Amino acid sequence: MKKISQSRMFLLLLPITMLWSCQTKDYSALVNKDIEEFRAYFTERFPEVELDDFADGVYAIDDNAREQWLAMEDFPPYSIAVEEGQALFENSFSNGKTYTDCFPEGGAVRHNYPYFDEQRNMVVTLEMAINECRSANGEPPLEYKKGDIAKISSYMAYISRGKPVEVKVSSQGAYEAYLKGKEFFYAKRGQLNMSCAGCHMRYSGRRLRSEVISPALGHPVHFPVFRLKWGEIGTLQRRYAGCNRNIGAKPLAIQGEEYRNLEFFQTVMSNGMHFNGPASRK
Amino acid sequence: MKKLIPWYCLLILLLSGPTLYAAPSAEQLILKAEEARKGAADLGFEWRDTATLIAEAREALEKGHEKQAAMLAGEALRQGELAVGQGTFMHNHWQEFIPVH
């Protein structure tokens, strides 16, 4: 009789215990372990580079390129985009409201993005929030890769400089989005069978034709960027599409689920660093 | 007459051989390539040039260039199948490609 009641008790408690353990899964601990390993890869590869300096991309690891870049920074090519972005940001919508009605702190909120929206069960990026602000105020959405959205995003990044990256992964939904982004980052794709990690981890610091490949650590914190190749300012996801095309993969939808999750993962990996966008790059 | 039956059978086989083992037409290849491309796209692993190759194959077929169309569609099919294989493999094995420090 005693044995039966014990086994019954066990059967009763098992699902409760399982449910409890699922609910209290420490996603932050799982993610922090990943961050630690990701960061260790780069700090061991480039021991002379300070953590925050990785925000400068390839210019943190290539002295010659850094000198040229610093010279360019005297009159940074993104400054016009920042000015135009400010004007666009301060312009009133047709209903009389402005972006400040959507974004607090006068728009200095770059550090709040991307984040996982629990209600919508999806990652929200800054560019997406800009377009959602427009839609909420009866304005047509802007094209995502470049142009006005990149300018507004540049201005918001500029006035958010120095703010820490603190992306939270605190729910199962957020962790799943994070894992999808992580999978995208490490999975090889395209005709060249290459991954983000293949180039920007394994081959970071090595040459690809005449260019040195940048380390992945800190990639999202300096975007949007004015690329000399583009001759204009562009968003991080525009760069994702270009990278995918370069390796012979069909670029995915800008601000689609895959790229948003990738941006989420990459930004989580930059936690503890500081936003320093916009930036100029070759 | 009975002696001729095996010869008739052989003749039928020889005549039907090319029909039975004929290479797929350009149109069939285009359909197969499109199917493979969609499969790769569903996995999120479509290659950059597959859709272009299929479009070029369709254009060549419309112009009556069957051989060129078949060649282009064949390449698109090869790409589509490789992309499906790549996507399927990566979904199951991506963690093996995390570099260790």
Side-chain angles (χ1 to χ4, degrees), chain A residues 31 113-117 122-125 167-170 173-179 181-182 220 236-237 240 258-271:
Chain A
V31 166
Y113 296 89
Y115 73 93
F116 187 79
D117 186 325
M122 61 186 272
V123 171
V124 177
T125 62
V167 183
K168 288 181 179 64
V169 182
S170 50
Y175 189 63
E176 279 168 12
Y178 164 85
L179 278 184
K182 185 177 173 182
L236 175 63
Q237 296 201 11
Y240 285 163
E258 293 91 347
Y259 283 171
R260 277 185 288 114
N261 289 341
L262 177 61
E263 184 173 337
F264 189 58
F265 166 75
Q266 275 211 288
T267 316
V268 168
M269 288 299 106
S270 309
N271 271 357

Side-chain angles (χ1 to χ4, degrees), chain B residues 53-65:
Chain B
L53 285 165
I54 294 170
E56 285 173 358
R58 282 200 175 114
E59 201 182 322
L61 191 63
E62 275 172 22
K63 287 179 183 168
H65 303 148

Side-chain angles (χ1 to χ4, degrees), chain A residues 11 31 39 48 98 102 108 132 148 171-172 185 200 213:
Chain A
L11 285 171
V31 166
R39 195 167 289 174
E48 71 285 358
T98 65
C102 302
E132 285 180 350
D148 285 353
S171 68
Q172 192 178 344
F185 186 82
H200 295 285
I213 303 175

Side-chain angles (χ1 to χ4, degrees), chain A residues 37 40-41 44 182-183 186-191 193 197 201-202 245 248-250, chain B residues 37 44-49 51 79 86 90-91 94-101:
Chain A
E37 286 172 5
Y41 183 87
E44 281 179 24
K182 185 177 173 182
E183 177 180 344
Y186 290 109
K188 296 180 177 201
R189 59 188 67 241
Q191 295 170 55
N193 199 36
M201 285 186 81
R202 213 179 283 277
R245 203 175 293 113
K250 187 185 175 188
Chain B
R37 186 199 66 76
F45 278 75
E46 184 181 346
W47 287 8
R48 183 188 57 199
D49 305 324
Q79 285 199 4
Q86 184 185 50
M90 281 300 156
H91 278 311
W94 63 271
Q95 286 174 316
E96 294 164 25
F97 295 91
I98 300 176
V100 283
H101 55 92

Side-chain angles (χ1 to χ4, degrees), chain A residues 215-232:
Chain A
L217 182 57
H219 265 169
V221 305
H222 57 253
F223 269 82
V225 302
F226 185 103
R227 279 191 88 202
L228 299 185
K229 185 184 169 185
W230 293 339
E232 60 182 348

